[in-house]
Amino acid sequence: MAKRAKSGIRKSQTAPYKHPEARSLMRPEVGTQAQFKKKKPPKTYRYDSSLSPALDWDAKSPAREQGEHLLKQILDAKSLEEAKTAASKLKSLSKPFLNWAGKAERLSFDVPTLPLFIHERLSTKAIIETLAGHKTDKQEDMFALFGDPQHSITDQVLKAYEYQDNWTNRMVLGDSLVVMNSLLHYEGLGGQVQMIYVDPPYGVKFGSNFQPFVRKRDVSHNDDEDMTREPEMVQAYRDTWELGLHSYLTYLRDRLLLARDLLTPSGSIFVQISDENLHHVREVMDEVFGVENCVSVVTFKKTTTASGRLLSTVGDYLLWYAKDIQRVKFQPVYLEKLPGDAGASQYTWTEMPDGSRRNFGSFEALRAEASATSRVFVHDNITSQRPAQGDDVREFVYEGKSFTPGKGTFKTDRRGLENLAKAKRLMALGDTLRYVRFLDDFPVFPVSNVWDDTVTSGFAAPKLYVVQTNPTVVQRCLLMTTDPGDLVLDPTCGSGTTAYVAEQWGRRWITADTSRVPLALARQRLLTATFPWYDLKDQHRGPAGGFTYKRKQNKKGEEVGGIVPHITLKSIANNEPPAEEVLVDRPEVENGITRVTGPFCVEATIPTPVDWEGDGVEDSGTGTAESHGSFIDRMLEVLRKSPILRLEGNKTVTLKNIRPPAKTLSLSAEALISNGQEKPVAFVFGPENGAVSTKLVENAAREAYAKSYTHLYVVGFAIEAKARETVEYCDAVFNVPATYVQATPDLMMGDLLKNMRSSQIFSVCGQPEVQIKKLKSPSPSPRKGEGVQYQVELLGLDVFDPITMEVAHRSGQDVPAWFLDTDYNDLCFHVSQAFFPRTSAWDNLKKALKGDYEESVWDHLSGTTSAPFEVGEHKQIAVKVIDDRGNELLVVKKLA
Ligand SMILES: C[S@@+](CC[C@H](N)C(=O)[O-])C[C@H]1O[C@@H](n2cnc3c(N)ncnc32)[C@H](O)[C@@H]1O
């Protein structure tokens, strides 16, 4: 029988942590989007901090309106507490403040309240099980691996945001403001997040028009040819803002305000920032969280490279604020004491086993000459400054010599001094009596607010993302301010460092990013990660029950466990057992279990398209007909300013004469293609906060044909799978060829963003071409359908080129990632197999599982042909390809 570890898990098995006690409100799956009814109005947030340095009752001053609002709050207050809060806000109106353009005019702001739809469910365990060919007993077991509660469509429509489901971790595509608003107002997560880590764009280099932060990064051991096709090469990350610093501060303040609402009363927020805006961001945080709640400003080293004409910058900063500094959760993180280093800078003495003591004078000498059996120590004061009183000891004789405490007092009484002498903890230095403190009395010291061990070394795992944070930085923040099982949020996901660190340490996580490229990277990082299995105190409770920590010594007698003694002068003097400290980052590890990331889902802020105008055309999921109209106007304006569509292979289509079509029912714009032969083309824009629906495509295609346009461009931030298919069939069904054009979600950031380089805004995505092979049944006389296996091959991406009117082909080997759902249920994509062609993305796991699976299993995962699978309940598969720009392209195929 397979050997079982203490956890009850079979040795050499892969297993994730589960969070059996945690719940979250059911979010609907994207397949039910069209039926979703529970819409909510946008939420208005009011600023409540100072806008003017002095109370100013001039009618023109916005402070007056705010002052009156607060006075009313005081008068209407139902409790003294409420009145006090409002009064203190009123008082803060007269405090100095940081002002910027637009701040005074903006007393409040609106955020659309959008539901989050689940688009994808991922589970490393499910992938491994599928590949291993271990047939799970029941279909449900496979769904359980995905953490899929399998709600019916009816339940999803009627009970979304009411039902409590089991917890799964979450990655969300969307603007942080909208995502946080949804967490607050659809899910009621206010006051439930223990720690928030924000690593926003640093807001630097406002002068440049468009600042892609993407550089070539060696993700794995690929050759250069592969590398150029990795998604992080894609220029998708923008850092420039319309009003420079002014927009940046508005952007940050809005987000911090919502973040504060999400924090638990004992919660913490960390904002990572560079020196350029540290001072501004600190002022904004003072305003939002209160000066008194600033816990620390941490300086951390990010590089050792000293360059620049003047002082070189080698560090960044963390601004750490508590929701309430009186209640903040905190556990110190300790570092090992090494003689000469921080925390042990005076330890130059040693004591030999025979009791002789020697001062090496320098750490170099100590390190070079001290023997392995000697104990390093420092001599310390045994007196305090307090003047002697009463029966304090005035004289103590040690080794025949008399010592006095000078102007102060001994730190302990006579009995204590005798105990110290007995324990050989005293030392005469001239006329002074000293206390001997061994380095191993307390072999660690608490980290301070300067972290110089956070430089990513050349030997560490290479960065996935150009602005990736060193995991040590996030880890320290997380360990100091959360317990296992707590909820952590990072609304600036990037390559998912916070999610990764949270997963490693058994915290629950939610992360969001407005850009698809980082989410694609984060998804890959988590899916292929392995972690140590930290022993759980209570298997039934999961990480929420805590990890096991033990006191342990190695052969040399050094403390190597997660509990260390803390011997003090007082404990020896009083003959007490020493205190012990827990090193939160050193839980017991159970060897032999490969821990993988638990199930997580990818969600997005996409609401139901709504037909506001009652004309049969879906407009937008939020706002009003007017707001939809203004969205169309804005898109037209953007298209006019950036009349370029970006195709595969750096080709572009240039448009001219862009304008709204006359008397249109469904179309949003018309234009002439200006490179090549001039041809009139039509545009339909999808909703501002939703996916393009089939109905939208069909209506637009019918009209485009009737009005003799030569081509229809369907522009959207997202598109439903069926609508994507309809676009492909437009030529055959409606006699007008159509192309789906992906708009960058950054456009949703409205007028805060500077106009982006035109070629980055709209891009034409390819359509995946897949082939399904039916494999011969391994059994000689199978019953109908039994034992029949299928295999899917990704042949490549077909991309339509509207200039040449030809379809260009890209090989399947060249896509950064593709996923297969072997039993697609039309509701949400279950990643049953995940492929990262020609990369070593899965190597970690492969190594950890040391030959448990055949080589061919891993070959599949880095190639274009799936592992064999059996037909599922829904008799259809779906293939999702992630292209270089992070776009997701979905095809659904029926199995015969
Ligand atoms: C500096 S990076 C974060 C890097 C991350 N700490 C890591 O380790 O990879 C900032 C991220 O914030 C994202 N971002 C910027 N503005 C955003 C917004 N309004 N909502 C959500 N994400 C945003 C960017 O796309 C980018 O991926």
Side-chain angles (χ1 to χ4, degrees):
M1 206 177 115
K3 209 171 149 204
R4 287 191 179 269
K6 275 176 283 161
S7 55
I9 293 164
R10 190 155 39 85
K11 288 262 182 189
S12 97
Q13 215 182 0
T14 48
Y17 280 155
K18 292 179 185 153
H19 298 278
E21 291 180 347
R23 295 276 177 276
S24 62
L25 279 185
M26 180 224 284
R27 277 94 57 215
E29 292 176 311
V30 67
T32 65
Q33 189 190 322
Q35 288 82 38
F36 187 81
K37 301 275 183 307
K38 298 183 173 173
K39 285 176 282 289
K40 294 195 176 206
K43 171 81 186 155
T44 303
Y45 292 86
R46 283 188 75 86
Y47 299 114
D48 50 32
S49 47
S50 62
L51 286 166
S52 168
L55 262 184
D56 180 353
W57 295 99
D58 174 349
K60 277 188 236 129
S61 165
R64 172 166 195 158
E65 191 189 322
Q66 198 164 34
E68 281 175 352
H69 171 75
L70 290 169
L71 278 176
K72 185 167 172 349
Q73 267 187 16
I74 295 169
L75 292 173
D76 295 349
K78 296 206 172 55
S79 67
L80 187 63
E81 199 57 29
E82 259 183 44
K84 273 189 175 169
T85 311
S88 80
K89 284 177 189 168
L90 186 62
K91 193 159 178 275
S92 75
L93 278 176
S94 59
K95 282 188 188 153
F97 73 111
L98 178 71
N99 202 2
W100 60 82
K103 186 184 184 191
E105 292 78 37
R106 219 165 165 257
L107 290 174
S108 64
F109 60 99
D110 287 347
V111 187
T113 310
L114 304 181
L116 298 176
F117 285 90
I118 298 180
H119 286 236
E120 207 175 281
R121 294 184 190 273
L122 297 107
S123 155
T124 309
K125 179 90 178 140
I127 293 174
I128 293 170
E129 292 288 306
T130 318
L131 289 177
H134 301 158
K135 272 184 50 192
T136 39
D137 301 340
K138 288 182 258 132
Q139 185 70 14
E140 290 93 295
D141 291 347
M142 189 50 95
F143 287 116
L145 290 178
F146 281 107
D148 182 351
Q150 286 261 281
H151 292 300
S152 68
I153 298 182
T154 317
D155 275 358
Q156 293 199 38
V157 171
L158 298 178
K159 303 199 176 128
Y161 290 107
E162 287 176 24
Y163 246 45
Q164 292 280 355
D165 276 334
N166 288 336
W167 177 267
T168 43
N169 292 324
R170 308 161 62 178
M171 207 175 261
V172 189
L173 175 70
D175 187 291
S176 44
L177 198 60
V178 179
V179 173
M180 288 193 281
N181 188 41
S182 184
L183 298 181
L184 284 166
H185 298 290
Y186 259 104
E187 300 182 40
L189 279 184
Q192 296 196 38
V193 179
Q194 193 59 43
M195 189 273 249
I196 301 183
Y197 193 93
V198 189
D199 175 15
Y202 286 173
V204 290
K205 298 192 180 74
F206 299 120
S208 61
N209 177 35
F210 176 78
Q211 178 68 46
F213 271 84
V214 182
R215 272 194 285 140
K216 196 165 164 169
R217 292 261 160 210
D218 199 352
V219 180
S220 45
H221 316 290
N222 304 319
D223 55 27
D224 283 355
E225 207 197 344
D226 281 340
M227 288 311 304
T228 56
R229 286 151 178 87
E230 291 291 335
E232 69 276 22
M233 291 298 297
V234 180
Q235 301 181 346
Y237 174 30
R238 297 164 181 88
D239 199 23
T240 13
W241 310 81
E242 187 82 51
L243 298 173
L245 184 58
H246 305 280
S247 312
Y248 182 74
L249 295 175
T250 305
Y251 157 94
L252 222 53
R253 181 161 76 143
D254 293 356
R255 281 155 185 81
L256 291 173
L257 216 61
L258 272 72
R260 189 192 59 186
D261 288 354
L262 282 165
L263 283 178
T264 59
S266 60
S268 284
I269 181 167
F270 294 85
V271 176
Q272 182 183 326
I273 201 74
S274 72
D275 58 353
E276 264 153 295
N277 284 322
L278 171 68
H279 53 310
H280 293 312
V281 178
R282 182 164 183 180
E283 296 244 44
V284 175
M285 292 190 79
D286 275 351
E287 190 175 309
V288 175
F289 292 93
V291 190
E292 65 284 5
N293 289 318
C294 178
V295 181
S296 188
V297 181
V298 176
T299 308
F300 68 93
K301 206 162 169 181
K302 58 174 179 179
T303 174
T304 46
T305 326
S307 60
R309 195 172 70 82
L310 302 173
L311 272 190
S312 58
T313 300
V314 295
D316 277 341
Y317 302 89
L318 291 172
L319 286 162
W320 172 10
Y321 280 70
K323 170 95 170 244
D324 176 353
I325 200 148
Q326 302 302 331
R327 299 164 77 178
V328 68
K329 185 185 271 191
F330 172 68
Q331 41 238 351
V333 167
Y334 294 99
L335 295 175
E336 201 183 338
K337 267 187 204 161
L338 292 172
D341 285 357
S345 56
Q346 310 287 322
Y347 287 71
T348 56
W349 287 75
T350 63
E351 183 180 281
M352 298 303 290
D354 64 5
S356 61
R357 290 169 177 163
R358 176 179 169 193
N359 182 12
F360 282 89
S362 79
F363 303 110
E364 290 72 27
L366 178 103
R367 282 190 203 118
E369 293 175 44
S371 77
T373 48
S374 61
R375 282 177 87 192
V376 177
F377 73 91
V378 65
H379 56 81
D380 203 353
N381 243 333
I382 201 168
T383 54
S384 72
Q385 298 293 321
R386 181 174 63 77
Q389 44 177 271
D391 50 3
D392 278 346
V393 183
R394 316 258 159 153
E395 185 191 11
F396 184 68
V397 177
Y398 176 66
E399 291 181 343
K401 191 169 173 182
S402 157
F403 294 90
T404 64
K407 285 184 189 147
T409 37
F410 285 116
K411 284 182 179 166
T412 178
D413 57 13
R414 184 166 303 278
R415 177 116 185 234
L417 287 165
E418 278 159 7
N419 281 341
L420 288 170
K422 211 172 348 156
K424 298 201 169 31
R425 289 303 189 114
L426 296 180
M427 171 178 171
L429 209 66
D431 288 339
T432 322
L433 191 62
R434 305 283 290 175
Y435 167 66
V436 171
R437 186 193 308 282
F438 289 105
L439 190 118
D440 55 19
D441 280 352
F442 189 43
V444 292
F445 67 102
V447 287
S448 68
N449 71 341
V450 178
W451 302 351
D452 60 3
D453 56 346
T454 47
V455 176
T456 307
S457 85
F459 301 105
K463 275 189 183 186
L464 284 164
Y465 195 37
V466 68
V467 283
Q468 182 172 327
T469 310
N470 184 327
T472 312
V473 174
V474 183
Q475 173 172 311
R476 226 164 250 175
C477 301
L478 178 124
L479 291 175
M480 283 192 301
T481 57
T482 64
D483 284 310
D486 280 347
L487 178 56
V488 169
L489 166 72
D490 184 342
T492 51
C493 172
S495 57
T497 307
T498 305
Y500 177 89
V501 169
E503 185 71 41
Q504 170 170 359
W505 292 100
R507 273 64 170 175
R508 293 174 295 130
W509 52 266
I510 304 177
T511 188
D513 203 294
T514 187
S515 179
R516 287 161 206 271
V517 171
L519 282 191
L521 293 169
R523 188 162 45 185
Q524 170 177 337
R525 185 177 184 185
L526 281 148
L527 207 54
T528 59
T530 56
F531 308 102
W533 181 278
Y534 302 125
D535 189 32
L536 301 173
K537 261 195 210 149
D538 181 346
Q539 293 302 329
H540 303 291
R541 295 191 61 203
F547 298 139
T548 315
Y549 292 88
K550 282 195 181 144
R551 184 142 177 219
K552 289 197 294 200
Q553 282 114 8
N554 63 11
K555 283 194 189 126
K556 285 195 251 164
E558 291 161 346
E559 297 287 341
V560 290
I563 297 177
V564 291
H566 192 168
I567 302 170
T568 57
L569 181 152
K570 192 166 155 259
S571 64
I572 302 172
N574 296 349
N575 221 351
E576 289 164 351
E580 290 184 329
E581 308 288 350
V582 173
L583 310 185
V584 280
D585 57 349
R586 249 199 237 168
E588 284 296 289
V589 172
E590 232 182 86
N591 292 319
I593 304 169
T594 304
R595 184 154 67 88
V596 290
T597 299
F600 63 101
C601 39
V602 175
E603 304 173 24
T605 48
I606 298 183
T608 321
V610 183
D611 178 6
W612 292 109
E613 284 153 13
D615 55 6
V617 182
E618 289 140 359
D619 305 317
S620 169
T622 50
T624 56
E626 297 91 75
S627 76
H628 179 62
S630 81
F631 169 67
I632 298 280
D633 290 346
R634 256 195 295 142
M635 289 292 281
L636 254 159
E637 198 47 41
V638 175
L639 200 57
R640 276 200 201 106
K641 279 193 191 154
S642 323
I644 294 175
L645 308 181
R646 186 184 164 93
L647 311 182
E648 289 281 298
N650 270 342
K651 281 192 261 170
T652 52
V653 179
T654 310
L655 307 161
K656 65 176 195 185
N657 293 6
I658 300 162
R659 58 183 184 195
K663 291 196 192 142
T664 179
L665 286 172
S666 350
L667 298 174
S668 317
E670 62 176 21
L672 289 175
I673 287 192
S674 72
N675 45 346
Q677 210 190 340
E678 278 197 358
K679 283 175 281 185
V681 294
F683 287 81
V684 61
F685 297 140
E688 180 172 8
N689 285 305
V692 172
S693 68
T694 312
K695 208 164 120 196
L696 187 80
V697 179
E698 287 174 353
N699 289 341
R702 241 178 249 125
E703 191 180 337
Y705 172 69
K707 293 186 171 163
S708 306
Y709 291 106
T710 58
H711 204 96
L712 170 69
Y713 290 98
V714 179
V715 185
F717 296 113
I719 184 162
E720 290 171 10
K722 285 253 156 52
R724 187 72 179 84
E725 250 176 73
T726 312
V727 170
E728 295 307 308
Y729 296 132
C730 270
D731 201 3
V733 179
F734 300 99
N735 292 321
V736 61
T739 304
Y740 173 58
V741 179
Q742 177 82 36
T744 162
D746 282 4
L747 277 178
M748 290 193 249
M749 298 195 56
D751 54 6
L752 272 182
L753 276 176
K754 195 161 185 145
N755 289 321
M756 287 157 281
R757 215 167 63 183
S758 50
S759 59
Q760 305 290 338
I761 296 181
F762 301 107
S763 46
V764 175
C765 310
Q767 182 74 330
E769 193 193 343
V770 299
Q771 193 177 57
I772 300 173
K773 285 184 222 157
K774 197 167 176 179
L775 301 181
K776 280 209 182 103
S777 163
S779 122
S781 52
R783 272 182 285 157
K784 201 164 175 270
E786 189 184 83
V788 179
Q789 290 201 316
Y790 291 86
Q791 230 172 350
V792 172
E793 188 182 358
L794 175 71
L795 302 175
L797 285 187
D798 275 348
V799 184
F800 177 73
D801 177 348
I803 307 174
T804 60
M805 292 296 213
E806 278 170 14
V807 173
H809 186 79
R810 255 186 99 178
S811 144
Q813 291 281 358
D814 289 341
V815 305
W818 67 285
F819 301 145
L820 170 67
D821 182 345
T822 54
D823 188 17
Y824 183 57
N825 66 359
D826 282 315
L827 293 176
C828 137
F829 193 101
H830 295 79
V831 180
S832 22
Q833 299 188 24
F835 311 86
F836 303 103
R838 289 206 276 180
T839 71
S840 47
W842 286 106
D843 273 13
N844 246 347
L845 194 60
K846 180 176 161 182
K847 245 182 260 153
L849 295 180
K850 287 190 211 89
D852 276 8
Y853 299 95
E854 285 170 24
E855 200 61 27
S856 63
V857 162
W858 303 105
D859 289 348
H860 283 303
L861 292 182
S862 58
T864 54
T865 307
S866 77
F869 59 91
E870 288 185 8
V871 62
E873 185 191 337
H874 303 94
K875 299 196 172 40
Q876 62 177 3
I877 59 139
V879 170
K880 188 184 273 191
V881 179
I882 314 291
D883 77 6
D884 291 334
R885 287 184 289 266
N887 293 319
E888 297 181 357
L889 316 159
L890 184 77
V891 275
V892 180
K893 297 262 180 205
K894 297 258 179 263
L895 291 178

